[in-house]
Amino acid sequence: MACAKPNLYVYATAEELSRAAADLFLQIGRQAVAATGRFTVALAGGSTPRRLYELLAENPHRAGMDWTAVEWFFGDERAVPQDHPDSNYRMARAALLDPVAAPAGRVHGMEAERADLSAAAADYQAELARVFGLDSDGPPPVFDLVLLGMGADGHTASLFPCTKALRVSNDWVTANDVPQISSRRMTLTFPLINNAANVLFLVAGSDKAGALAEVLEGPADPDRLPSQSVVPLAGNLFWYVDAAAAGQ
Ligand code: 6PG
């Protein structure tokens, strides 16, 4: 592991990146459980985090955490049923939540397949408020950890370039129409993500190299590169990338 820049860690391979991320996940999770009795996490979707989830579900990592103390939320979800191959919930269930026997009441999936996606987002916000013991009209919760991926277009969660969700300044969760992929999504918003105690980006693959270079080193252009808007107010921001993604 080489710390190429403050909070930017470059790993030779995606496997090494996933192993390092599993170590960090456990470190943050154990600290949270020791401090508060629970660990609140928002899982990333897509394909990159799958290996991280698989590693967490097997020893030694599996033995390193009280998995019943985790409150599992999701960073975003596609407008598909939870058993659909494209579902982020389904991927996380198969790779991690089922293998560690996550208690049903602590797994909070997004109902992104509902026709009224705005109502579903409002219900998810109410669920967040309930679990965190907050007023859903007040400031967003402070997650112990938010996991994020990044697309080759610089999007993160379902915060895609030039979409309405980028401008949400109060809601914690929102529906988002994404014309560039002809789909609707539910996503956590920047106010919630930037309130987290720890945010961990996982970026792997040469197809991400251009966007990564622009996001980290290019001029500020957050409407075109939404990942640039992930700037935790007080929390830690970690970029775990592989050498291929760091190629530029
Ligand atoms: C999703 C994710 C999305 C993902 C990026 C990267 O629902 O697709 O939340 O933000 O993290 O698109 O996806 P890959 O990891 O598959 O490259």
Side-chain angles (χ1 to χ4, degrees), residues 86-102:
D86 289 349
S87 165
N88 290 335
Y89 173 88
R90 181 177 183 265
M91 184 274 277
R93 275 235 79 105
L96 176 55
L97 303 179
D98 288 346
V100 300

Side-chain angles (χ1 to χ4, degrees), residues 27-113:
Q27 179 190 324
I28 293 169
R30 291 158 63 110
Q31 250 171 351
V33 172
T36 67
R38 71 178 183 181
F39 175 35
T40 56
V41 60
L43 296 178
S47 56
T48 304
R50 185 199 311 271
R51 185 62 185 133
L52 161 62
Y53 300 163
E54 290 169 349
L55 287 169
L56 289 170
E58 64 192 38
N59 285 331
H61 293 92
R62 181 195 169 104
M65 174 93 209
D66 171 6
W67 298 101
T68 63
V70 185
E71 290 287 358
W72 303 96
F73 289 89
F74 291 80
D76 69 327
E77 189 54 275
R78 292 87 180 268
V80 296
Q82 290 181 340
D83 59 357
H84 188 282
D86 289 349
S87 165
N88 290 335
Y89 173 88
R90 181 177 183 265
M91 184 274 277
R93 275 235 79 105
L96 176 55
L97 303 179
D98 288 346
V100 300
R106 293 201 145 187
V107 178
H108 313 282
M110 290 177 159
E111 297 175 320
E113 73 278 19

Side-chain angles (χ1 to χ4, degrees), residues 13 34 68 94 105 114 119 122 161-162 168 173 176 187 208 214 223 230 241:
T13 65
T68 63
R114 281 168 49 184
C162 310
V168 171
V173 192
N176 198 24
T187 185
K208 309 290 177 72
E214 286 204 87
D223 210 45
V230 177
V241 307

Side-chain angles (χ1 to χ4, degrees), residues 24 65 76 80 104 140 146 156 158 188 206 220 228:
L24 183 61
M65 174 93 209
D76 69 327
V80 296
V146 173
T156 189
S158 283
L188 299 183
S206 56
Q228 287 185 333

Side-chain angles (χ1 to χ4, degrees), residues 123-160:
D123 289 349
Y124 202 70
Q125 181 153 330
E127 177 77 348
L128 280 160
R130 179 184 68 77
V131 172
F132 280 88
L134 297 173
D135 175 347
S136 64
D137 292 329
V142 177
F143 268 88
D144 295 311
L145 175 62
V146 173
L147 288 174
L148 294 173
M150 189 191 74
D153 61 354
H155 84 263
T156 189
S158 283
L159 298 158
F160 282 82

Side-chain angles (χ1 to χ4, degrees), residues 123-237:
D123 289 349
Y124 202 70
Q125 181 153 330
E127 177 77 348
L128 280 160
R130 179 184 68 77
V131 172
F132 280 88
L134 297 173
D135 175 347
S136 64
D137 292 329
V142 177
F143 268 88
D144 295 311
L145 175 62
V146 173
L147 288 174
L148 294 173
M150 189 191 74
D153 61 354
H155 84 263
T156 189
S158 283
L159 298 158
F160 282 82
C162 310
T163 58
K164 282 198 322 291
L166 302 187
R167 280 165 194 67
V168 171
S169 56
N170 288 317
D171 289 338
W172 313 345
V173 192
T174 193
N176 198 24
D177 290 319
V178 189
Q180 53 264 53
I181 55 172
S182 318
S183 91
R184 303 181 314 151
R185 296 282 187 96
M186 189 188 304
T187 185
L188 299 183
T189 61
F190 289 126
L192 185 143
I193 293 169
N194 286 329
N195 223 31
N198 296 282
V199 178
L200 171 57
F201 269 103
L202 303 177
V203 185
S206 56
D207 61 318
K208 309 290 177 72
L212 187 67
E214 286 204 87
V215 165
L216 293 181
E217 300 180 330
D221 190 359
D223 210 45
R224 188 172 64 85
L225 300 163
S227 294
Q228 287 185 333
S229 294
V230 177
V231 184
L233 301 173
N236 303 307
L237 175 59

